[in-house]
Amino acid sequence: LRSVALLRAVMIPRRRTAIDALSFIDSGLRASAGDIAAFEAEFAARAGSAFAVAGCSGRTTLVATLQACGLQPGDEVILPAVTLLDLPKLLKRHGWSPVYVDIDPETMLMDPHAVRAAMTGRTRAIIPTDLFGNSMDWQAVFASDAHAAGAVVVQDAAHAAGTTLDGRQVGARSDVAFFSLETIKMLHAFGGGVAVSNDAALVGRIRAALPTGPSAPSRLAAKFLRNTVENLGFRTPAYGLALAALDTPALKDGLLAAYERVRQGGVATASAWTDWQARFARGQLDGLDARVRRQRRAAERIIDGLAGQVTFQREVKGVASNRYFLVGTVRTSPMRLRRALLKHGIDIGIGAEIVDFCPAASDSQRFAHARRACATMVQLPLHADLHDRDADRIVAAMARELRQ
């Protein structure tokens, strides 16, 4: 019966990649050697920074940034306990030691008081994450303590293109900030990363540390096709059946492993960013503010409709989040809620599908807020083109199931 219901449902997926096929093709045809420099200048101007430098992926740009900041093997890097597990894994591969701190339960951002308590003589970097697009003035919070200890504030703004602080794009106030341009981000170029800073020497060192190898155009075209097919499939009953299969232990591990191979295979790590991507990103940058306005409007409709039933991530004063993900906590089982909503054709994310609790399980008691957030968190469907009728359908189904 459940399978029959899913076959009849028109799915509302939790995300949708903004793909403009004509712009993508036109960018490939018209790309020139000056497009990367032009994008860097335009992005820096938007962020209010003096300089920007683009790389082939967010993680590659981060590694180059930390190397440019002079980090050595054994140096400690402070991270929030809730972030993507890829980040501490990346640090460990380069010999750096992640040190976790708890989060604020309302904003879901790194707790500044916990950061100060975690700093030691080996601390060389603090990486506050703008989780789900929320942010704060990290430089004002950490800079004096960090600089006194010989550490740098490296803002993880991977989720935050289009998020503003006091009306300006976040990132410029930190020592350095990096953004992801992966396909699911608010600003994307089918991969890439960009760092911003007012320090010319630091930006020069980042640029020198980035890979410069050739990138095969076929990889970019394959990524475009994969994401186009994904978008088309998201609203079909087949997607709902695939989600239902995640509840079957015999199928779950295989499906997740296949998805992880596809995800990791699409991330460039050893090549230069391309003129084609830069040309496409410039067009995406022009439309970013309009996409953010639409995404915020859709988010507010859902937040208002579920007031008192879901505790949504609170924006920091002065910050207008891009609402990259619409995340809140619930008082029921997220797994039960996901199963129930699938019958309505609504896809929500839960647990590690959204974000990771990174500390070891044996150490979890020190991170009570982070642990509770990960255990009760749900990601609701949201994208810039979400129709009001779909937002209302999400609200009605959520409200009904939360009353059960």
Side-chain angles (χ1 to χ4, degrees), residues 58-377:
R59 65 190 67 176
T60 300
T61 305
L62 170 61
V63 169
T65 297
L66 293 176
Q67 290 171 336
C69 289
L71 267 70
Q72 300 296 318
D75 286 344
E76 292 180 350
V77 179
I78 297 179
L79 306 172
V82 176
T83 187
L84 292 183
L85 193 57
D86 289 350
L87 180 52
K89 286 181 177 179
L90 189 69
L91 297 177
K92 290 176 182 178
R93 282 202 297 272
H94 288 81
W96 303 317
S97 301
V99 175
Y100 303 110
V101 297
D102 210 351
I103 61 170
D104 179 282
E106 295 184 0
T107 66
M108 299 185 185
L109 300 178
M110 176 186 279
D111 180 352
H113 301 293
V115 171
R116 295 186 183 97
M119 293 182 70
T120 73
R122 293 170 58 199
T123 302
R124 290 295 174 267
I126 301 170
I127 305 184
T129 299
D130 293 339
L131 195 64
F132 312 136
N134 201 11
S135 186
M136 68 169 62
D137 188 347
W138 297 115
Q139 195 75 359
V141 172
F142 296 135
S144 59
D145 293 325
H147 295 170
V152 63
V153 178
V154 180
Q155 182 173 350
D156 176 359
H159 292 180
T163 293
T164 60
L165 171 63
D166 298 332
R168 293 300 303 268
Q169 168 68 56
V170 298
R173 296 183 184 179
S174 294
D175 293 331
V176 60
F178 71 95
F179 299 78
S180 171
L181 302 175
E182 264 305 325
T183 49
I184 64 171
K185 300 300 192 293
M186 294 296 293
L187 174 67
H188 83 88
F190 295 100
V194 58
V196 297
S197 177
N198 291 314
D199 185 333
L202 175 60
V203 169
R205 293 195 299 273
I206 296 172
R207 194 180 300 279
L210 287 168
T212 57
S215 177
S218 59
R219 184 192 64 81
L220 190 58
K223 200 165 189 176
F224 166 77
L225 290 172
R226 184 168 62 246
N227 281 275
T228 300
V229 171
E230 185 180 77
N231 269 358
L232 294 172
F234 270 163
R235 290 188 69 85
T236 67
Y239 179 62
L241 291 172
L243 291 172
L246 292 177
D247 288 345
T248 306
L251 298 174
K252 179 179 179 179
D253 290 346
L255 286 171
L256 291 178
Y259 169 77
E260 188 66 14
R261 284 195 299 272
V262 170
R263 186 177 75 89
Q264 296 290 350
V267 178
T269 57
S271 59
W273 202 48
T274 68
D275 299 317
W276 188 353
Q277 289 171 287
R279 185 83 178 196
F280 182 80
R282 294 178 68 191
Q284 288 278 302
L285 191 60
D286 288 341
L288 178 59
D289 288 338
R291 288 195 301 278
V292 170
R293 283 194 297 270
R294 297 198 306 273
Q295 187 129 330
R296 283 184 59 85
R297 179 183 175 278
E300 287 163 6
R301 191 178 184 96
I302 296 172
I303 291 169
D304 290 345
L306 292 172
Q309 299 175 80
V310 178
T311 303
F312 288 98
Q313 181 186 31
R314 178 178 63 80
E315 286 182 309
V316 175
K317 184 178 180 181
V319 170
S321 168
N322 63 10
R323 293 295 185 187
Y324 168 61
F325 279 2
L326 182 57
V327 170
T329 58
V330 294
R331 293 184 291 273
T332 188
S333 162
M335 177 61 79
R336 183 203 70 79
L337 185 60
R338 196 251 283 280
R339 289 170 176 164
L341 289 172
L342 272 178
K343 299 175 186 176
H344 300 275
I346 296 170
D347 170 27
I348 67 169
I350 63 173
E353 297 167 6
I354 314 170
V355 73
D356 297 298
F357 178 78
C358 294
S362 60
D363 201 25
S364 65
Q365 296 302 316
R366 293 199 299 117
F367 310 99
H369 296 312
R371 188 180 69 251
R372 176 172 174 75
C374 288
T376 60
M377 186 184 295

